[in-house]
Amino acid sequence: TKESNFTIGETFEEKVHSGEIMVGTPSWDGAKLVIEMKPKDENSTTKPQKQTRYVEDGHIVLELQVGDVVAKRFFKKAE
């Protein structure tokens, strides 16, 4: 389990699984939480990514975008 703490509109730093530090900028797009992440090191080979979280049909959806590739994870409440 991983927990992230941040304030909307303020950049924050987060260490990812590779050990690299990413800089995130959270914002709201309507009812969607959007976090734009980019590597802190300008010489990094890690690509920027966009994380979008929202509720759809009673599920929480996490949409991850890196370049032209988009992946979605769907979460539902355990019964």
Coordinates of all heavy atoms in Angstrom, one line a residue:
T1 N 0.8 -1.2 0.0 CA 0.0 0.0 0.0 C 0.9 1.2 0.0 O 1.9 1.3 0.7 CB -0.9 0.0 1.3 OG1 -1.7 -1.2 1.2 CG2 -1.8 1.2 1.3
K2 N 0.5 2.2 -0.8 CA 1.2 3.4 -0.9 C 0.3 4.6 -0.7 O -0.8 4.6 -1.2 CB 1.9 3.5 -2.3 CG 2.7 4.8 -2.5 CD 3.3 4.8 -3.9 CE 4.1 6.0 -4.1 NZ 4.5 6.2 -5.4
E3 N 0.7 5.6 0.1 CA -0.1 6.7 0.4 C 0.6 8.0 -0.1 O 1.8 8.1 0.1 CB -0.3 6.8 1.9 CG -1.2 8.0 2.2 CD -1.5 8.0 3.7 OE1 -1.8 7.0 4.3 OE2 -1.4 9.1 4.3
S4 N -0.1 8.8 -0.8 CA 0.5 10.1 -1.3 C -0.3 11.2 -0.7 O -1.6 11.2 -0.6 CB 0.4 10.2 -2.8 OG 1.1 9.2 -3.5
N5 N 0.4 12.3 -0.2 CA -0.3 13.5 0.3 C 0.1 14.7 -0.5 O 1.3 14.9 -0.7 CB 0.2 13.6 1.8 CG -0.4 12.5 2.7 OD1 -1.5 12.4 2.8 ND2 0.6 11.8 3.2
F6 N -0.8 15.4 -0.9 CA -0.6 16.6 -1.7 C -1.7 17.6 -1.6 O -2.8 17.3 -1.1 CB -0.3 16.2 -3.2 CG -1.4 15.4 -3.8 CD1 -2.6 16.0 -4.3 CD2 -1.4 14.0 -3.8 CE1 -3.6 15.3 -4.8 CE2 -2.4 13.3 -4.4 CZ -3.5 13.9 -4.9
T7 N -1.5 18.8 -2.1 CA -2.5 19.9 -2.1 C -2.8 20.3 -3.5 O -1.8 20.5 -4.3 CB -2.0 21.1 -1.3 OG1 -1.7 20.7 0.1 CG2 -3.0 22.2 -1.3
I8 N -4.0 20.3 -3.9 CA -4.4 20.7 -5.3 C -3.7 22.0 -5.6 O -3.8 23.0 -4.8 CB -5.9 20.8 -5.4 CG1 -6.6 19.4 -5.1 CG2 -6.3 21.3 -6.8 CD1 -6.2 18.3 -6.0
G9 N -3.1 22.1 -6.8 CA -2.5 23.3 -7.3 C -1.1 23.5 -6.8 O -0.4 24.4 -7.3
E10 N -0.6 22.7 -5.9 CA 0.8 22.8 -5.5 C 1.6 21.6 -5.9 O 1.2 20.4 -5.8 CB 0.9 22.9 -3.9 CG 0.2 24.1 -3.4 CD 0.3 24.2 -1.9 OE1 1.1 23.4 -1.3 OE2 -0.4 25.0 -1.3
T11 N 2.8 21.8 -6.5 CA 3.6 20.7 -6.9 C 4.2 19.9 -5.7 O 4.3 20.5 -4.6 CB 4.8 21.2 -7.8 OG1 5.6 22.1 -7.0 CG2 4.4 21.9 -9.1
F12 N 4.4 18.7 -5.9 CA 5.0 17.8 -4.9 C 6.0 16.8 -5.5 O 5.9 16.6 -6.7 CB 3.9 17.1 -4.1 CG 3.1 16.0 -5.0 CD1 3.5 14.7 -4.9 CD2 2.1 16.4 -5.8 CE1 2.8 13.8 -5.7 CE2 1.4 15.5 -6.6 CZ 1.8 14.2 -6.5
E13 N 6.8 16.2 -4.7 CA 7.8 15.3 -5.2 C 7.4 13.9 -4.6 O 6.9 13.8 -3.5 CB 9.2 15.6 -4.8 CG 9.7 16.9 -5.4 CD 11.1 17.2 -5.1 OE1 11.8 16.4 -4.3 OE2 11.6 18.2 -5.6
E14 N 7.6 12.9 -5.5 CA 7.3 11.5 -5.1 C 8.3 10.5 -5.7 O 8.7 10.7 -6.9 CB 5.9 11.1 -5.6 CG 5.4 9.8 -5.1 CD 4.0 9.6 -5.5 OE1 3.6 9.3 -6.6 OE2 3.1 9.8 -4.6
K15 N 8.8 9.6 -4.8 CA 9.8 8.6 -5.3 C 9.0 7.5 -5.9 O 8.1 6.9 -5.3 CB 10.7 8.1 -4.2 CG 11.8 7.2 -4.7 CD 12.5 6.6 -3.5 CE 13.8 7.4 -3.4 NZ 14.7 6.8 -2.4
V16 N 9.3 7.1 -7.1 CA 8.6 5.9 -7.8 C 9.4 4.7 -7.6 O 10.5 4.6 -7.0 CB 8.4 6.2 -9.3 CG1 7.4 7.4 -9.4 CG2 9.6 6.6 -10.0
H17 N 8.8 3.5 -8.0 CA 9.4 2.2 -7.8 C 10.8 2.1 -8.3 O 11.6 1.4 -7.7 CB 8.6 1.1 -8.5 CG 7.2 1.0 -7.9 ND1 6.9 0.6 -6.6 CD2 6.0 1.3 -8.5 CE1 5.6 0.6 -6.4 NE2 5.0 1.1 -7.5
S18 N 11.2 2.8 -9.4 CA 12.6 2.8 -9.9 C 13.5 3.5 -9.0 O 14.7 3.5 -9.3 CB 12.6 3.3 -11.3 OG 12.3 4.7 -11.3
G19 N 13.0 4.3 -8.0 CA 13.9 5.1 -7.2 C 14.0 6.5 -7.7 O 14.6 7.3 -7.0
E20 N 13.5 6.8 -8.8 CA 13.6 8.1 -9.4 C 12.6 9.0 -8.7 O 11.5 8.6 -8.3 CB 13.3 8.1 -10.9 CG 13.4 9.4 -11.6 CD 13.7 9.3 -13.1 OE1 13.3 8.2 -13.6 OE2 14.1 10.2 -13.6
I21 N 12.9 10.3 -8.6 CA 12.0 11.3 -8.1 C 11.2 12.0 -9.2 O 11.8 12.4 -10.2 CB 12.8 12.4 -7.3 CG1 13.7 11.8 -6.2 CG2 11.8 13.5 -6.8 CD1 12.9 11.2 -5.1
M22 N 9.9 12.0 -9.0 CA 9.0 12.6 -10.0 C 8.4 13.8 -9.3 O 8.2 13.9 -8.1 CB 7.9 11.6 -10.4 CG 8.4 10.4 -11.0 SD 9.0 10.6 -12.7 CE 7.4 10.6 -13.6
V23 N 8.0 14.8 -10.1 CA 7.4 16.1 -9.7 C 6.0 16.0 -10.2 O 5.7 15.9 -11.4 CB 8.1 17.3 -10.2 CG1 7.4 18.6 -9.7 CG2 9.6 17.3 -9.7
G24 N 5.0 16.1 -9.3 CA 3.6 16.1 -9.7 C 2.9 17.4 -9.5 O 3.2 18.1 -8.6
T25 N 1.9 17.6 -10.4 CA 1.1 18.8 -10.2 C -0.4 18.4 -10.3 O -0.9 18.0 -11.4 CB 1.4 19.8 -11.4 OG1 2.8 20.1 -11.4 CG2 0.6 21.1 -11.2
P26 N -1.1 18.4 -9.2 CA -2.5 17.9 -9.1 C -3.4 19.1 -9.4 O -3.2 20.2 -9.1 CB -2.6 17.5 -7.7 CG -1.7 18.3 -6.9 CD -0.5 18.6 -7.8
S27 N -4.5 18.7 -10.1 CA -5.6 19.7 -10.4 C -6.9 19.0 -10.6 O -6.9 17.8 -10.7 CB -5.2 20.5 -11.6 OG -5.2 19.6 -12.8
W28 N -8.0 19.8 -10.5 CA -9.3 19.2 -10.8 C -9.7 19.6 -12.2 O -9.5 20.7 -12.7 CB -10.4 19.8 -9.9 CG -10.3 19.3 -8.5 CD1 -9.9 19.9 -7.4 CD2 -10.6 18.0 -8.0 NE1 -9.9 19.1 -6.3 CE2 -10.4 17.9 -6.6 CE3 -11.1 16.8 -8.7 CZ2 -10.6 16.8 -5.9 CZ3 -11.4 15.7 -7.9 CH2 -11.1 15.7 -6.5
D29 N -10.3 18.6 -13.0 CA -10.9 18.9 -14.3 C -12.3 18.4 -14.1 O -12.6 17.2 -14.3 CB -10.1 18.1 -15.4 CG -10.7 18.3 -16.7 OD1 -11.6 19.2 -16.9 OD2 -10.3 17.5 -17.7
G30 N -13.2 19.3 -13.7 CA -14.5 19.0 -13.4 C -14.5 18.1 -12.2 O -14.0 18.4 -11.1
A31 N -15.1 16.9 -12.3 CA -15.1 15.9 -11.2 C -13.9 14.9 -11.2 O -13.8 14.0 -10.5 CB -16.4 15.1 -11.2
K32 N -12.9 15.2 -12.1 CA -11.8 14.3 -12.3 C -10.6 14.9 -11.6 O -10.3 16.1 -11.8 CB -11.5 14.1 -13.7 CG -12.6 13.3 -14.5 CD -12.2 13.1 -15.9 CE -13.3 12.3 -16.6 NZ -12.9 12.1 -18.0
L33 N -9.8 14.1 -10.9 CA -8.6 14.5 -10.3 C -7.5 14.1 -11.3 O -7.3 13.0 -11.7 CB -8.3 13.7 -8.9 CG -6.9 13.9 -8.3 CD1 -6.7 15.4 -8.0 CD2 -6.8 13.0 -7.1
V34 N -6.7 15.1 -11.7 CA -5.7 14.9 -12.7 C -4.3 15.3 -12.1 O -4.2 16.3 -11.4 CB -5.9 15.8 -13.9 CG1 -4.8 15.6 -14.9 CG2 -7.3 15.5 -14.5
I35 N -3.3 14.4 -12.2 CA -2.0 14.6 -11.7 C -1.0 14.5 -12.9 O -0.9 13.4 -13.4 CB -1.6 13.7 -10.6 CG1 -2.6 13.8 -9.4 CG2 -0.2 14.0 -10.1 CD1 -2.4 12.8 -8.3
E36 N -0.4 15.5 -13.2 CA 0.7 15.5 -14.3 C 2.0 15.2 -13.6 O 2.4 16.0 -12.7 CB 0.7 16.9 -15.0 CG -0.5 17.3 -15.7 CD -0.7 16.7 -17.1 OE1 0.2 16.1 -17.6 OE2 -1.8 16.9 -17.6
M37 N 2.7 14.2 -14.0 CA 4.0 13.8 -13.3 C 5.1 13.9 -14.4 O 4.9 13.5 -15.5 CB 3.9 12.3 -12.8 CG 2.8 12.1 -11.8 SD 3.1 12.8 -10.2 CE 4.4 11.8 -9.6
K38 N 6.2 14.4 -13.9 CA 7.4 14.4 -14.8 C 8.6 14.2 -14.0 O 8.6 14.5 -12.7 CB 7.5 15.8 -15.6 CG 7.7 17.0 -14.7 CD 7.7 18.2 -15.5 CE 7.9 19.4 -14.6 NZ 8.0 20.7 -15.4
P39 N 9.7 13.7 -14.6 CA 10.9 13.4 -13.8 C 11.5 14.7 -13.3 O 11.5 15.7 -14.0 CB 11.8 12.7 -14.7 CG 11.2 12.7 -16.1 CD 9.8 13.2 -15.9
K40 N 12.1 14.7 -12.1 CA 12.7 15.9 -11.5 C 14.0 16.1 -12.3 O 14.4 17.3 -12.6 CB 13.0 15.7 -10.0 CG 13.6 16.9 -9.4 CD 13.8 16.7 -7.9 CE 14.4 17.9 -7.2 NZ 14.4 17.8 -5.8
D41 N 14.7 15.0 -12.6 CA 16.0 15.1 -13.4 C 15.7 15.3 -14.8 O 15.1 14.5 -15.5 CB 16.8 13.8 -13.2 CG 18.2 13.8 -13.9 OD1 18.5 14.8 -14.5 OD2 18.9 12.8 -13.8
E42 N 16.2 16.5 -15.4 CA 15.9 16.8 -16.8 C 16.6 15.8 -17.7 O 16.2 15.7 -18.9 CB 16.4 18.2 -17.1 CG 15.5 19.3 -16.4 CD 16.0 20.7 -16.6 OE1 16.9 20.9 -17.5 OE2 15.5 21.6 -16.0
N43 N 17.6 15.1 -17.3 CA 18.3 14.1 -18.1 C 17.8 12.7 -18.0 O 18.3 11.8 -18.6 CB 19.8 14.1 -17.8 CG 20.5 15.5 -18.0 OD1 20.2 16.1 -19.1 ND2 21.3 15.9 -17.1
S44 N 16.7 12.6 -17.3 CA 16.1 11.3 -17.1 C 15.5 10.7 -18.4 O 15.1 11.4 -19.3 CB 14.9 11.4 -16.1 OG 14.2 10.2 -16.0
T45 N 15.5 9.4 -18.5 CA 14.9 8.7 -19.6 C 13.4 8.3 -19.3 O 12.7 7.8 -20.2 CB 15.7 7.4 -20.0 OG1 15.7 6.5 -18.8 CG2 17.1 7.7 -20.4
T46 N 13.0 8.6 -18.1 CA 11.6 8.3 -17.7 C 10.7 9.4 -18.4 O 11.0 10.5 -18.4 CB 11.4 8.4 -16.2 OG1 12.3 7.4 -15.6 CG2 10.0 8.1 -15.8
K47 N 9.6 8.9 -19.0 CA 8.7 9.8 -19.7 C 7.7 10.4 -18.7 O 7.3 9.8 -17.8 CB 7.9 9.0 -20.8 CG 8.8 8.4 -21.9 CD 8.0 7.7 -22.9 CE 8.9 7.2 -24.0 NZ 8.1 6.5 -25.0
P48 N 7.2 11.6 -19.0 CA 6.2 12.2 -18.2 C 4.9 11.4 -18.3 O 4.7 10.6 -19.3 CB 5.9 13.6 -18.9 CG 7.2 13.8 -19.7 CD 7.7 12.5 -20.1
Q49 N 4.1 11.4 -17.3 CA 2.8 10.7 -17.3 C 1.7 11.5 -16.7 O 1.9 12.5 -16.0 CB 2.9 9.4 -16.5 CG 3.3 9.6 -15.1 CD 3.3 8.3 -14.3 OE1 2.3 7.8 -13.8 NE2 4.5 7.6 -14.3
K50 N 0.5 11.1 -17.1 CA -0.7 11.8 -16.6 C -1.6 10.7 -15.9 O -1.9 9.7 -16.5 CB -1.5 12.4 -17.8 CG -2.7 13.2 -17.4 CD -3.3 13.8 -18.7 CE -4.6 14.5 -18.4 NZ -5.2 15.0 -19.7
Q51 N -2.0 11.0 -14.7 CA -2.9 10.1 -13.9 C -4.2 10.9 -13.7 O -4.2 12.0 -13.3 CB -2.3 9.8 -12.6 CG -0.9 9.2 -12.6 CD -0.3 9.1 -11.2 OE1 -0.9 9.4 -10.2 NE2 1.0 8.7 -11.2
T52 N -5.3 10.2 -14.1 CA -6.6 10.8 -14.0 C -7.5 9.8 -13.2 O -7.5 8.6 -13.5 CB -7.3 11.1 -15.3 OG1 -6.4 11.9 -16.1 CG2 -8.6 11.8 -15.2
R53 N -8.1 10.3 -12.1 CA -9.0 9.5 -11.3 C -10.4 10.1 -11.3 O -10.5 11.3 -11.1 CB -8.4 9.4 -9.8 CG -7.1 8.6 -9.7 CD -6.5 8.8 -8.3 NE -5.4 8.0 -8.1 CZ -4.2 8.3 -8.5 NH1 -3.9 9.4 -9.1 NH2 -3.1 7.4 -8.2
Y54 N -11.4 9.2 -11.4 CA -12.8 9.6 -11.4 C -13.7 8.4 -11.1 O -13.2 7.3 -11.1 CB -13.1 10.2 -12.8 CG -12.8 9.4 -14.0 CD1 -13.8 8.6 -14.5 CD2 -11.6 9.4 -14.6 CE1 -13.6 7.8 -15.6 CE2 -11.3 8.6 -15.7 CZ -12.3 7.8 -16.2 OH -12.1 7.0 -17.3
V55 N -14.9 8.7 -10.9 CA -15.9 7.7 -10.6 C -16.8 7.5 -11.8 O -17.3 8.5 -12.4 CB -16.8 8.1 -9.4 CG1 -17.9 7.1 -9.1 CG2 -16.0 8.3 -8.1
E56 N -17.0 6.3 -12.2 CA -17.8 5.9 -13.4 C -18.6 4.7 -13.1 O -18.0 3.6 -12.7 CB -16.9 5.7 -14.6 CG -17.6 5.4 -15.9 CD -16.7 5.3 -17.0 OE1 -16.2 4.2 -17.2 OE2 -16.4 6.3 -17.7
D57 N -19.9 4.7 -13.2 CA -20.8 3.5 -12.9 C -20.5 2.9 -11.6 O -20.4 1.6 -11.5 CB -20.6 2.5 -14.1 CG -21.1 3.0 -15.4 OD1 -22.0 3.9 -15.4 OD2 -20.5 2.6 -16.4
G58 N -20.2 3.7 -10.5 CA -20.0 3.1 -9.2 C -18.6 2.6 -9.0 O -18.3 2.1 -7.9
H59 N -17.7 2.7 -10.0 CA -16.3 2.3 -9.8 C -15.4 3.5 -9.8 O -15.7 4.5 -10.4 CB -15.9 1.4 -11.0 CG -16.7 0.1 -11.1 ND1 -17.9 0.0 -11.8 CD2 -16.4 -1.1 -10.6 CE1 -18.3 -1.3 -11.7 NE2 -17.4 -2.0 -10.9
I60 N -14.3 3.3 -9.1 CA -13.2 4.3 -9.2 C -12.3 3.9 -10.4 O -11.9 2.8 -10.5 CB -12.4 4.4 -7.9 CG1 -13.3 5.0 -6.8 CG2 -11.2 5.3 -8.2 CD1 -12.6 5.0 -5.5
V61 N -12.1 4.8 -11.3 CA -11.3 4.5 -12.5 C -10.0 5.3 -12.3 O -9.9 6.5 -12.0 CB -12.0 5.0 -13.8 CG1 -11.1 4.7 -15.0 CG2 -13.3 4.3 -13.9
L62 N -8.8 4.6 -12.6 CA -7.5 5.2 -12.6 C -7.1 5.1 -14.1 O -6.9 4.0 -14.6 CB -6.5 4.5 -11.7 CG -5.1 4.9 -11.9 CD1 -4.8 6.4 -11.7 CD2 -4.2 4.1 -10.9
E63 N -6.9 6.2 -14.7 CA -6.5 6.2 -16.1 C -5.0 6.7 -16.1 O -4.7 7.8 -15.6 CB -7.4 7.2 -16.9 CG -7.1 7.1 -18.4 CD -8.2 8.0 -19.1 OE1 -9.3 7.6 -19.2 OE2 -7.8 9.1 -19.6
L64 N -4.1 5.9 -16.7 CA -2.7 6.3 -16.8 C -2.3 6.5 -18.2 O -2.6 5.7 -19.1 CB -1.8 5.2 -16.2 CG -2.0 4.9 -14.8 CD1 -1.3 3.6 -14.4 CD2 -1.6 6.0 -13.9
Q65 N -1.7 7.7 -18.5 CA -1.3 8.0 -19.9 C 0.2 8.3 -19.9 O 0.7 9.2 -19.2 CB -2.1 9.1 -20.5 CG -1.7 9.5 -21.9 CD -2.6 10.6 -22.4 OE1 -3.5 11.1 -21.8 NE2 -2.3 11.0 -23.7
V66 N 0.9 7.6 -20.8 CA 2.3 7.9 -21.0 C 2.5 8.0 -22.6 O 2.3 7.0 -23.3 CB 3.3 6.8 -20.5 CG1 4.7 7.1 -20.8 CG2 3.1 6.6 -19.0
G67 N 2.8 9.1 -23.0 CA 2.8 9.3 -24.5 C 1.5 9.1 -25.1 O 0.5 9.6 -24.6
D68 N 1.4 8.2 -26.1 CA 0.2 7.8 -26.8 C -0.5 6.6 -26.1 O -1.6 6.2 -26.6 CB 0.4 7.6 -28.3 CG 0.8 8.8 -29.0 OD1 0.5 9.9 -28.5 OD2 1.5 8.7 -30.0
V69 N 0.1 6.0 -25.1 CA -0.4 4.8 -24.5 C -1.3 5.1 -23.3 O -0.9 5.9 -22.4 CB 0.7 3.9 -24.1 CG1 0.2 2.6 -23.4 CG2 1.6 3.5 -25.3
V70 N -2.5 4.6 -23.3 CA -3.4 4.8 -22.2 C -3.8 3.5 -21.6 O -4.2 2.5 -22.3 CB -4.7 5.6 -22.7 CG1 -5.7 5.7 -21.5 CG2 -4.3 6.9 -23.3
A71 N -3.8 3.4 -20.3 CA -4.2 2.2 -19.5 C -5.3 2.6 -18.5 O -5.2 3.7 -17.9 CB -3.1 1.5 -18.9
K72 N -6.2 1.7 -18.2 CA -7.3 2.0 -17.2 C -7.3 0.9 -16.3 O -7.3 -0.3 -16.6 CB -8.6 2.2 -17.9 CG -8.8 3.5 -18.7 CD -10.2 3.6 -19.2 CE -10.4 4.9 -20.0 NZ -11.8 5.0 -20.4
R73 N -7.5 1.2 -15.0 CA -7.7 0.3 -13.9 C -9.0 0.6 -13.3 O -9.3 1.8 -13.0 CB -6.6 0.3 -12.8 CG -5.3 -0.2 -13.3 CD -4.3 -0.3 -12.2 NE -4.6 -1.4 -11.4 CZ -3.9 -1.8 -10.3 NH1 -2.9 -1.1 -9.9 NH2 -4.3 -2.8 -9.6
F74 N -9.8 -0.4 -13.0 CA -11.2 -0.2 -12.4 C -11.2 -0.8 -11.0 O -10.7 -1.9 -10.8 CB -12.2 -0.8 -13.3 CG -12.3 -0.2 -14.7 CD1 -11.5 -0.7 -15.7 CD2 -13.2 0.8 -14.9 CE1 -11.6 -0.1 -17.0 CE2 -13.3 1.3 -16.2 CZ -12.5 0.9 -17.2
F75 N -11.6 0.0 -10.0 CA -11.7 -0.5 -8.7 C -13.2 -0.5 -8.2 O -13.9 0.5 -8.5 CB -10.9 0.4 -7.8 CG -9.4 0.5 -8.1 CD1 -9.0 1.5 -9.1 CD2 -8.5 -0.3 -7.5 CE1 -7.7 1.6 -9.4 CE2 -7.2 -0.2 -7.8 CZ -6.7 0.7 -8.8
K76 N -13.6 -1.5 -7.5 CA -14.9 -1.5 -6.9 C -14.8 -1.9 -5.5 O -13.8 -2.6 -5.0 CB -15.8 -2.5 -7.6 CG -15.6 -4.0 -7.4 CD -16.6 -4.8 -8.1 CE -16.5 -6.2 -7.8 NZ -17.6 -7.0 -8.3
K77 N -15.7 -1.4 -4.7 CA -15.8 -1.7 -3.3 C -15.9 -3.2 -3.0 O -16.7 -3.8 -3.6 CB -16.9 -0.9 -2.7 CG -16.9 -0.9 -1.2 CD -18.0 0.0 -0.6 CE -18.0 0.1 0.9 NZ -19.1 1.0 1.4
A78 N -15.1 -3.6 -2.1 CA -15.2 -5.0 -1.6 C -16.5 -5.3 -0.9 O -17.0 -4.4 -0.2 CB -14.0 -5.4 -0.7
E79 N -17.1 -6.4 -1.1 CA -18.4 -6.8 -0.5 C -18.2 -7.5 0.8 O -17.2 -8.1 1.1 CB -19.2 -7.6 -1.4 CG -19.5 -6.8 -2.7 CD -20.4 -7.6 -3.6 OE1 -21.1 -8.5 -3.2 OE2 -20.4 -7.3 -4.8

